[in-house]
Amino acid sequence: MTADVSTSEAPPGSRPHARPRAPLGHRIYHSFILRRLLRSLFVVWVVASGVFLMVRLLPGNPVDVYINQQIALYGKSYEQAAAEASNFFRFDPATPIWRQYIDYLVGLVQGDMGTSIATPGVTVTEKIAQHLPWTLYSVGLALLISITIGLILGMIMAYRRGGVIDHAVSIIGSGFHAIPNYLLAILIVVVGAVQLEIIDYTRMRGNMSPGVEPEFSLRFLSDIGYHATLPMITYILTTVGTWALIMKASTTQVLGEDYVTVAKARGLKESRIQTNYVGRNALLPLIAQIATQAGFIVGGAIFVEQTFSYEGVGLLLFESINTRDYPTIQGVLLVVTVTVVLANLAADLINAALDPRIRLGEGGAA
Amino acid sequence: MSPETTTDPAPVLSARDLEVAYRTGKDTRVRALRGVSFDLYPDSSLALVGESGSGKTTLGLALLRLLPTLGEITGGSVAFTGEDGATKDVTAMTAQQLRRWRWSEAAMVFQGAQNAFNPVLTVGQQMADTLLDHAHGRMPRREVLERSAEALRSVRLEPRRVLGSYPHELSGGMKQRALIATGLLLRPRLLVLDEPTTALDILTQRTVIDLLAELRVEYRFAMIFISHDLALAAELADRVVTMYAGKVIETGTTKDIFTAPKHPYTSKLINAVPPVTGDLPELASIPGAPPSLATLPPGCAFAPRCELATDECREAEPELITLTQRPADMTHAAACIHHDQVHHERKVIARA
Ligand SMILES: Nc1ncnc2c1ncn2[C@@H]1O[C@H](COP(=O)(O)OP(=O)(O)OP(=O)(O)O)[C@@H](O)[C@H]1O
Ligand code: SF4
Ligand SMILES: [Mg+2]
């Protein structure tokens, strides 16, 4: 045995574990959370302005649309319709755009998204408050179910590569992935309700059955569950396969990592390896994707909600575009944007919490 | 280094005719181990040497049944004798038996240990996982901490700093030592180290080597030491096993192997060691390349590179021939027909 073992050695590259605390101002400037918040606000402003401009680039304005409708539907004269319109709307298309923009931004800062043009007297906030919960409920729950099933399926596929589940989910999943969700919604109606008559479309459409009141009761809950079934099935079927495939790829990669083999060598329990060693690392790169998808599916809800007459923000947006209801369009798109931005912010924070390599305090994450 | 022995001690680990194949295509496989046999005696250390691709890592992984999914043990057996003297057949263990046996009796420090720790858990958590899963989840927090700290101290790491650190916060040398500490947690009877120093700079290499020599005394484990670096093997090992193309081609005490190798390949390996320090750990100076496992020549696999090769060599693969009858843990054997013609002119192998 060698006796002359050096005992006084400071390993190269070692550094103290505890990080010294920086001055307060420095910490705020470098604060990961603060910087992310500021960036999120900036994104919201850019999108709000973009939406404002684009809405006004739509051909026709709300007054023209109303006048044309009155003429076409009721055979009124142009003068008559125009007079009614100026009574009916408190919107004057002659207001300069920059004036409208300033009013809009000032209102936004005060939390006021304006008043609907098409239904005077109802604020945009009220309209969104009526519709948003339904979308959040149907899309959110569907997404939750889809992701949960997808992640579990993906892990099973990675563990049993080439197995029955792997092949089946790969084929079915990529098939459904290729179909846009509004097309699947139409297919469900056409095939399920019209041809096979296994779906009672007339009863299932809408948010709830007539006569049912929103309350905390089993009757209400089961009724809204019943009515949300078709949109939710649409969302789940079109996304679950994708989640499974992404998770399979991620898990497969992690399964090849040294630390998984070492964990096995250490004689750890299989359940612990699957959750804390494989699952957690496989999930990390997926969190950002989950957030992005969460934003997109709200956008995708537009057509699905229309098909099933499901009165969520998607349908609201569809209707307000038809009537050129500028403030409502702006409001809905803004809410969608905020959802996407919030989802991404949440993803970053969750990532930072789960992955120690992203340092919260040092703004290491780009 | 080995204890004085009068009678043959029972080996801790005994591999017999071990065969491993990797699937390389739908119906194609390569034989990465071809009938490997060797014995490892208690408290002794064995160096596994050979060029890249000779199957050293494969052998280490196969001993612990840790081969990747594409690899499979296709024959032979591995027997492990525990502290209590009971011998277990590792190749016949169930998944549950394997899980219990691994790390508590046989631990392994992997090649390229830089990614051996889960990046999202602290070193302390991972050490705790190891202790808890071998104690059926029942171990007081205090004891978990104490035992982890003790293991870290024995590799001269400061527990207070390392336990709460994430792997990316440690330097390469610290990670390597933390991994060795994790290996010692359950005081295994066998420690397999695959190139434990390759990724480290010379100074850190020295630290790890000295540490291993010291730990062997303290923890009394038998050690299998896989290395490219013969000088290092000479320093740490009691016995040497030379591998070539998935076969053991020579085995003997470190002294016999280094002073009087009986296989031309071992002789060349030794002469390929850079004379002063390990500046050139790659064994670059043996002419020719190791054969592809997919297209092995019919006779001796070394024949294309061997100066002593004759037609006889190319007919049938030579078996290991026992050259000296001594206590089992001193045997010298070589798989060369012309072993009596191997005259090794000795170069100085020294390592500071
Ligand atoms: N996962 C694998 N799939 C297919 N073949 C493999 C795999 N791992 C190793 N092999 C093959 O098995 C043979 C032995 O490889 P092994 O890694 O055991 O060699 P080694 O002696 O450890 O080499 P090194 O010194 O480079 O670490 C090589 O020919 C290699 O190509
Ligand atoms: S058996 Fe022949 S070819 Fe093989 S090592 Fe010995 S002398 Fe060389
Ligand atoms: Mg290797």
Side-chain angles (χ1 to χ4, degrees), chain A residues 96-237:
Chain A
I97 283 220
W98 63 267
R99 186 73 244 170
Q100 292 181 32
Y101 180 63
I102 303 282
D103 288 348
Y104 168 63
L105 280 192
V106 170
L108 273 192
V109 172
Q110 294 165 344
D112 177 8
M113 289 189 281
T115 311
S116 163
I117 296 176
T119 46
V122 183
T123 64
V124 171
T125 313
E126 279 167 355
K127 279 203 146 186
I128 291 175
Q130 265 171 25
H131 291 84
L132 187 61
W134 296 105
T135 301
L136 287 186
Y137 155 70
S138 60
V139 172
L141 191 59
L143 199 62
L144 200 70
I145 295 174
S146 166
I147 291 175
T148 311
I149 298 178
L151 297 190
I152 294 173
L153 276 180
M155 267 192 95
I156 297 176
M157 287 160 80
Y159 267 94
R160 309 208 187 129
R161 243 159 306 157
V164 184
I165 297 181
D166 186 9
H167 285 305
V169 176
S170 295
I171 294 169
I172 299 172
S174 45
F176 274 111
H177 173 68
I179 308 175
N181 61 7
Y182 57 87
L183 214 61
L184 182 65
I186 293 171
L187 272 178
I188 289 178
V189 175
V190 171
V191 177
V194 180
Q195 292 194 335
L196 302 178
E197 295 181 17
I198 45 169
I199 295 171
D200 190 349
Y201 176 66
T202 34
R203 266 189 67 207
M204 290 187 85
R205 64 203 296 244
N207 296 8
M208 38 187 181
S209 308
V212 176
E213 288 297 317
E215 59 188 1
F216 194 75
S217 70
L218 198 63
R219 177 152 173 258
F220 171 68
L221 289 180
S222 67
D223 190 59
I224 61 170
Y226 176 69
H227 282 273
T229 312
L230 293 183
M232 279 174 54
I233 286 181
T234 310
Y235 302 136
I236 294 173
L237 284 183

Side-chain angles (χ1 to χ4, degrees), chain A residues 5 266-267 269 272 277 281, chain B residues 99 118 126 129 133-134:
Chain A
V5 172
R266 275 155 56 202
K269 294 216 171 88
R272 190 195 295 278
Y277 287 72
N281 283 292
Chain B
R99 185 183 86 66
N118 183 348
Q126 302 189 48
D129 284 352
D133 277 3
H134 281 281

Side-chain angles (χ1 to χ4, degrees), chain B residues 52-53 55-58 111 194-195 226 228:
Chain B
S52 187
K56 306 181 296 292
T57 299
T58 303
Q111 184 167 13
D194 192 354
E195 313 262 7
I226 298 173
H228 274 112

Side-chain angles (χ1 to χ4, degrees), chain A residues 1-2 4-17 19 161 257-270 272 276-278 280-281 284 354-359, chain B residues 1 66 99 102-103 110-112 115-121 126-127 129-130 132-134 136-137 156 161 164-166 168-169 171 174 177 179 182 201 204 207 210 213-214 216-217 235:
Chain A
M1 291 304 144
T2 36
D4 57 333
V5 172
S6 66
T7 41
S8 62
E9 43 85 50
S14 65
R15 53 193 167 74
H17 176 51
R19 274 167 256 120
R161 243 159 306 157
E257 296 286 347
D258 287 348
Y259 55 80
V260 175
T261 314
V262 176
K264 231 189 275 169
R266 275 155 56 202
L268 297 191
K269 294 216 171 88
E270 195 50 42
R272 190 195 295 278
N276 276 345
Y277 287 72
V278 179
R280 211 168 137 182
N281 283 292
L284 277 180
L354 290 184
D355 189 344
R357 286 163 296 188
I358 300 171
R359 299 272 186 73
Chain B
M1 275 190 188
L66 280 169
R99 185 183 86 66
R102 283 179 189 149
W103 224 253
F110 288 83
Q111 184 167 13
N115 297 317
F117 284 109
N118 183 348
V120 301
L121 299 180
Q126 302 189 48
M127 294 181 93
D129 284 352
T130 313
L132 286 172
D133 277 3
H134 281 281
H136 308 284
R156 280 187 254 113
R161 188 161 90 199
S165 290
Y166 288 97
H168 73 274
E169 297 174 317
S171 71
M174 287 169 89
R177 283 184 289 160
L179 189 62
T182 311
D201 59 83
T204 322
T207 319
D210 292 343
E214 200 182 298
R216 277 188 59 207
V217 182
E235 184 175 335

Side-chain angles (χ1 to χ4, degrees), chain B residues 12 58 82 104 107 109 113 125 231 238-239 249 266 275 291 302 313 318 323 325:
Chain B
V12 189
T58 303
S104 65
V109 174
Q125 279 169 319
D238 303 321
R239 288 182 64 78
I249 50 114
T266 316
F302 189 60
C313 301
L323 303 168
Q325 288 298 342

